[in-house]
Amino acid sequence: MGKNRECAESCIDYLALALVHHYRTQGQGPSLQAALDAVGERTGRQLAERYARDRPPLLDQLEAVKFVCKEFWGEVFRKAVDNLRTNHRGTFVLRDTQFRWLVRLAQNQMPAQVGQPLPAPLSKADLAADFLVLPCALVRGALAQLGWDVAVTADATSLPQVDFTLVIRQQPQR
Amino acid sequence: MEMINAEIFTLTYGSMVRQLIADHEDVEEVNAQLDKMGFSIGQRLIDEYLAKSKTQRCSDFRETADRIAKVGFKMFLNTTATVANWNAEGTECSLILEDNPLTDFVELPEQLGALKYSNLLCGVIRGALEMVNMDVECAFVRDVLRGDDVYEIRLKLLSSSTEAYPFKDDD
């Protein structure tokens, strides 16, 4: 069932862009942050479930984070993380020097809807903040699926480089 | 085209549909939002299609439908559709999909019988064609998730203004 099926890489870009655009312009319902958190976390869990299906549980912090840096990042963001640092007390910083989702997305914006005025241009930082909600939630969901409760934030002040900070809040129950 | 494992796209789409269902009480509103999101995707996707498909300008609506089915679906979703059920005037046809990547891993519960799960696709087609000055209606009339044996998208040309086509022949 669809296991080795492929689609164009741009499909996921269009979808991520449409999601941000939808929740940015939606006058009612959940905030962009809340909605994309939920969408990404569910997807991250499902992906991690698939990628980690045939491996033993990752009970060591570093092993779990390495799985995210290599396998998860490689599949979802199309390259491995470039640099991993840790304070050895549950905080990890993952640096991606060419974060693929923003490289492509930040260059393009939705066209104006016909008959509506052009939206005001957004600063690069605002644009990045909205586009980072989904990737952060994907990573959080993946680790949640592996049993780790982790807070994920991202810093995109030096685009296209993005630093993801993972703070582990709770170990899996053994 | 750069290709990726479709799983990430399919699962994100599914998660998005779930979110829209949570956001809106009315399933019809979910269908409308999917169509609207697709429309703005289509408006952008047409650029990539025109840049990368290396096809010539379509001479009529029959050719347009054929390109969507054979080139468009192939480029983006790595699947193809069959064009069928033309009306006599050549302004209405169906795109038949036996295989729809959006619905891998999906089963609809009974209470979502009115959900047009893949409605984004109709919006994409409408949005893309609008950018080349073709005004169309586009709707799912058969859906495997709702018990049919194939997916069928009905496509109806409302108007087109080829004069305003944004490309000169010598481009």
Side-chain angles (χ1 to χ4, degrees), chain A residues 98-118:
Chain A
Q98 284 282 328
F99 187 60
R100 205 163 164 103
W101 281 27
L102 284 199
V103 169
R104 294 166 59 95
L105 289 175
Q107 295 163 351
N108 303 295
Q109 282 219 47
M110 277 287 174
Q113 296 286 328
V114 176
Q116 284 177 19
L118 273 170

Side-chain angles (χ1 to χ4, degrees), chain A residues 5 9 14 23 39 108, chain B residues 2 4 15 23 44 48 104:
Chain A
R5 190 199 281 278
E9 184 180 20
Y14 290 126
Y23 284 104
V39 172
N108 303 295
Chain B
E2 287 268 357
I4 56 167
S15 187
D23 295 349
R44 305 186 67 247
E48 190 178 9
D104 282 346

